[in-house]
Amino acid sequence: MDYGIDVKEQEAVVQLKGRLTFNDHAKLRALIREMLQNKAKRQVLDLSTLEFVDSAGIGMLLIAREEMANVDKQLVLRAATGQVKRVLTVAQLNKIVAIED
């Protein structure tokens, strides 16, 4: 997994690329630290270029949501497609995390 962050005043958009799996735990932890440090209250994970996510990746997204909630920030998942969208749907993540098309 690779990522890039574009921070605006009220919203930070993180573009996730590639695959999000157990092997990306350290990268995602570093990303969460960056998200916690920026001032934007709304943290958007743009999943449009994420090709694959496994159960560990879903778990890491839930950790990110919890970390954001602890500092009064909102985590939003945006533009999931293909396998990623199917996994988010099956996991019913929309009951826990805001998901936008």
Side-chain angles (χ1 to χ4, degrees):
M1 176 200 73
D2 290 314
Y3 65 88
I5 301 177
D6 181 24
V7 180
K8 307 255 192 298
E9 281 187 35
Q10 293 299 315
E11 182 175 90
V13 178
V14 179
Q15 182 78 44
L16 295 182
K17 300 172 188 145
R19 300 168 61 87
L20 180 58
T21 66
F22 176 78
N23 294 333
D24 297 303
H25 186 264
K27 279 186 188 177
L28 194 69
R29 276 288 181 196
L31 170 58
I32 290 170
R33 280 192 298 275
E34 287 184 54
M35 293 166 69
L36 291 171
Q37 290 173 355
N38 73 54
K39 293 188 185 337
K41 287 288 185 187
R42 185 173 155 93
Q43 304 288 317
V44 178
L45 296 181
D46 183 332
L47 308 179
S48 61
T49 56
L50 192 66
E51 301 163 3
F52 177 85
V53 63
D54 67 6
S55 59
I58 294 294
M60 290 184 281
L61 293 175
L62 293 173
I63 290 169
R65 188 208 63 83
E66 185 176 324
E67 295 280 343
M68 296 306 115
N70 287 341
V71 294
D72 198 30
K73 292 186 179 200
Q74 179 189 23
L75 180 70
V76 177
L77 305 180
R78 180 183 290 163
T81 62
Q83 185 268 355
V84 175
K85 187 171 188 170
R86 284 190 302 278
V87 169
L88 295 180
T89 301
V90 169
Q92 298 183 349
L93 235 59
N94 63 323
K95 293 182 177 180
I96 302 167
V97 181
I99 299 179
E100 300 175 350
D101 285 333

